[in-house]
Amino acid sequence: MGHYTPDLSRPEANHASLYRDPAIFDEEMEKIFHATWVYVGHGSEVPNPGDYKTSFIGQVPVIMSRDMAGKIHVFANRCTHRGATVCPRELGHAESFTCPYHAWTYRLDGSLEAVGLPRGYNDGELDYSGLGLPVAPRVGSYRGFVFASLNADVHDFDTHIGPAKKYIDYYCDLSPTGEITVGLTGIYKHRYRGNWKAQLEGSVEGYHVWHNHRTAIDIMSKWVPIMKQYQNLPMKAYDLGFGHNIIENYTLTDEQVHERWPAEFVELLISAHGRERAMDALRHRFNIVLFPNMAILEYHVRVIRPLAADRTEVRQYHTSMVGAPAAINQRRVREHEFFYGPGGAGGPDDLATFDRIQQGMEAWTAPWVLFNRGLKSEETTPGGLRFGHHTQETQQRAPYYEYRRLMEGKAPVPSRIRLAAAG
Ligand code: FES
Ligand SMILES: [Fe+2]
């Protein structure tokens, strides 16, 4: 076991210890997951006052709740008395959270409301105002996607999400109301033997598609004929900064939009958003990773939960377009299942590959993981974003610029997690 050192990660390669060393994993939890913005959930999962969702920031269990005024709070799912989690369920509705051990009860904003057998405390032994559930000091959201940070000094959320907004807009504008639901039409969870960072690389992987998903591509070409040319399409992949990356899967012409989507749906979107915005949403298909734990793919939001250096949980939350015809949403379910489902033509191949990657990482004789494809031809947009062809590796290099910045302590990193008591 070692520690992270700058010679372990360069733009063109990572050392295998980044994928297998438990000490480096612990360092990543503190310097990345406890230091930057982390996705916790979507507003549609907690639509009403009293609704909550439990999640994780790194390995810290958290609750995202909506209070009676409609405001979303994020706090640690950890009783301030002696540490039990106060909420065991993933999703639900509550008036308050009561710890099962000694009945300390917390309001929807995390503040402490009552304790069991209060007369056993003498004057001065119980400070209600300082014993609320520890609150994440920063919460930000964009189009319903809620992010929180355990670091009060983290950079501003708007800057963090900035270049990704355009793509999140394309995604949500496929809904005539601009609203989507996340996970209400199904969640698929799986674990694999492999490192969490394989998801940052694999969720935007254009190089493998032609080989690893050849059968799926042949079938998908029936509903998107240009997929037959996947490896030759003039599509790009971008480094969006702060570790975020995006791969364009395909972009449709107006004519292809009409082949892909029923005319009534196209017209519905145009009347809702105007032609330009509607056509943008219909044209662009992409996968985007929001560092360090979330990705949006064509039909689902993917949440990456690191469990150990060689163990990761992935949750795929299927998305639905609020106000779209039932047949459109139904089709999105079927297409999702076709590729990503447990018996799908794509996802299981990826899982098998992640397993093989981790097995291969044990080969100490060849310790480097390469990302140099297209490095020499990489270009930069006028706005300063790196980009290359979607079958090159700009998007795999992207997370590691931010990874190195955080791991090398070039960003405000709290020496301990700073959580404020709700009260
Ligand atoms: S541990 Fe929660 S009330 Fe005692
Ligand atoms: Fe894949």
Side-chain angles (χ1 to χ4, degrees):
M1 293 213 311
H3 284 285
Y4 178 82
T5 49
D7 57 325
L8 296 178
S9 180
R10 309 188 300 260
E12 69 278 14
N14 276 346
H15 193 271
S17 58
L18 266 52
Y19 300 82
R20 44 187 298 252
D21 189 320
I24 292 178
F25 177 84
D26 288 346
E27 231 174 309
E28 291 172 347
M29 292 306 103
E30 181 180 348
K31 293 184 173 174
I32 296 173
F33 281 83
H34 299 169
T36 192
W37 291 98
V38 173
Y39 175 74
V40 289
H42 189 267
S44 62
E45 293 170 289
V46 290
N48 301 307
D51 289 349
Y52 67 81
K53 178 200 178 179
T54 58
S55 183
F56 294 87
I57 296 182
Q59 295 186 311
V60 177
V62 296
I63 301 173
M64 172 175 89
S65 78
R66 193 183 286 277
D67 70 18
M68 298 320 277
K71 186 176 174 204
I72 287 182
H73 302 264
V74 178
F75 37 78
N77 187 4
R78 190 269 189 213
C79 182
T80 43
H81 179 221
R82 278 201 249 140
T85 57
V86 298
C87 183
R89 297 176 58 198
E90 279 181 33
L91 213 58
H93 180 87
E95 288 176 6
S96 55
F97 301 102
T98 299
C99 179
Y101 205 1
H102 313 97
W104 284 31
T105 298
Y106 303 88
R107 298 184 186 90
L108 294 170
D109 63 358
S111 58
L112 180 61
E113 185 177 12
V115 303
L117 306 182
R119 279 179 291 176
Y121 280 102
N122 297 302
D123 274 357
E125 286 179 347
L126 187 66
D127 169 17
Y128 277 81
S129 66
L131 289 169
L133 294 172
V135 170
R138 303 281 294 277
V139 176
S141 71
Y142 186 69
R143 297 205 68 164
F145 295 101
V146 181
F147 298 76
S149 180
L150 301 182
N151 179 8
D153 299 327
V154 71
H155 55 274
D156 150 76
F157 178 69
D158 213 52
T159 309
H160 182 76
I161 204 84
K165 281 183 176 174
K166 175 173 91 175
Y167 299 99
I168 297 174
D169 287 345
Y170 289 159
Y171 196 81
C172 296
D173 287 350
L174 211 49
S175 156
T177 59
E179 304 281 326
I180 66 169
T181 62
V182 173
L184 305 189
T185 37
I187 306 170
Y188 167 41
K189 296 177 202 168
H190 60 259
R191 292 183 175 194
Y192 64 89
R193 183 174 165 264
N195 187 268
W196 65 278
K197 297 187 292 299
Q199 286 294 314
L200 308 181
E201 302 160 15
S203 299
V204 283
E205 233 290 345
Y207 189 14
H208 81 304
V209 171
W210 195 243
H211 314 283
N212 213 357
H213 300 310
R214 189 58 180 274
T215 310
I217 292 280
D218 285 347
I219 300 168
M220 286 162 75
S221 301
K222 287 182 188 152
W223 65 79
V224 187
I226 58 168
M227 287 297 276
K228 266 192 206 120
Q229 292 300 317
Y230 184 87
Q231 82 283 25
N232 297 319
L233 294 174
M235 295 295 108
K236 302 282 186 271
Y238 296 84
D239 174 347
L240 299 178
F242 291 109
H244 314 321
N245 51 17
I246 176 259
I247 179 172
E248 296 171 340
N249 294 326
Y250 57 86
T251 303
L252 303 176
T253 62
D254 283 8
E255 193 185 344
Q256 289 163 341
V257 162
H258 285 95
E259 283 166 14
R260 169 97 172 98
W261 301 103
E264 315 80 67
F265 181 54
V266 175
E267 286 311 314
L268 181 64
L269 284 192
I270 290 174
S271 63
H273 304 317
R275 177 168 294 276
E276 197 179 335
R277 201 173 130 194
M279 291 306 283
D280 267 344
L282 290 160
R283 270 189 205 112
H284 295 284
R285 292 281 70 83
F286 54 86
N287 296 356
I288 184 170
V289 165
L290 297 176
F291 182 92
N293 75 323
M294 188 263 230
I296 305 174
L297 291 89
E298 181 148 5
Y299 315 100
H300 72 270
V301 170
R302 180 175 295 188
V303 180
I304 305 155
R305 182 181 162 206
L307 299 171
D310 63 353
R311 202 85 184 142
T312 304
E313 180 180 276
V314 174
R315 299 181 181 195
Q316 296 180 11
Y317 295 81
H318 186 263
T319 58
S320 193
M321 302 292 145
V322 178
I328 295 290
N329 278 324
Q330 190 67 25
R331 184 161 131 186
R332 294 182 80 264
V333 175
R334 294 287 93 87
E335 290 184 9
H336 170 80
E337 286 170 343
F338 161 77
F339 194 86
Y340 295 104
D349 292 342
D350 289 328
L351 271 181
T353 305
F354 292 141
D355 247 52
R356 288 173 67 162
I357 290 171
Q358 199 64 24
Q359 210 180 338
M361 291 293 179
E362 302 301 323
W364 57 268
T365 46
W368 293 98
V369 177
L370 304 182
F371 303 116
N372 65 331
R373 182 174 162 87
L375 182 58
K376 287 186 177 167
S377 57
E378 196 167 75
E379 295 177 71
T380 309
T381 66
L385 304 181
R386 300 179 190 94
F387 70 95
H389 188 256
H390 73 164
T391 62
Q392 292 179 321
E393 287 173 337
T394 291
Q395 63 275 40
Q396 278 73 38
R397 289 188 285 277
Y400 296 104
Y401 289 99
E402 181 67 354
Y403 181 90
R404 289 187 287 273
R405 187 176 82 92
L406 293 168
M407 292 294 278
E408 291 168 22
K410 291 178 185 151
V413 174
S415 54
R416 299 176 57 227
I417 306 171
R418 275 190 275 159
L419 291 157

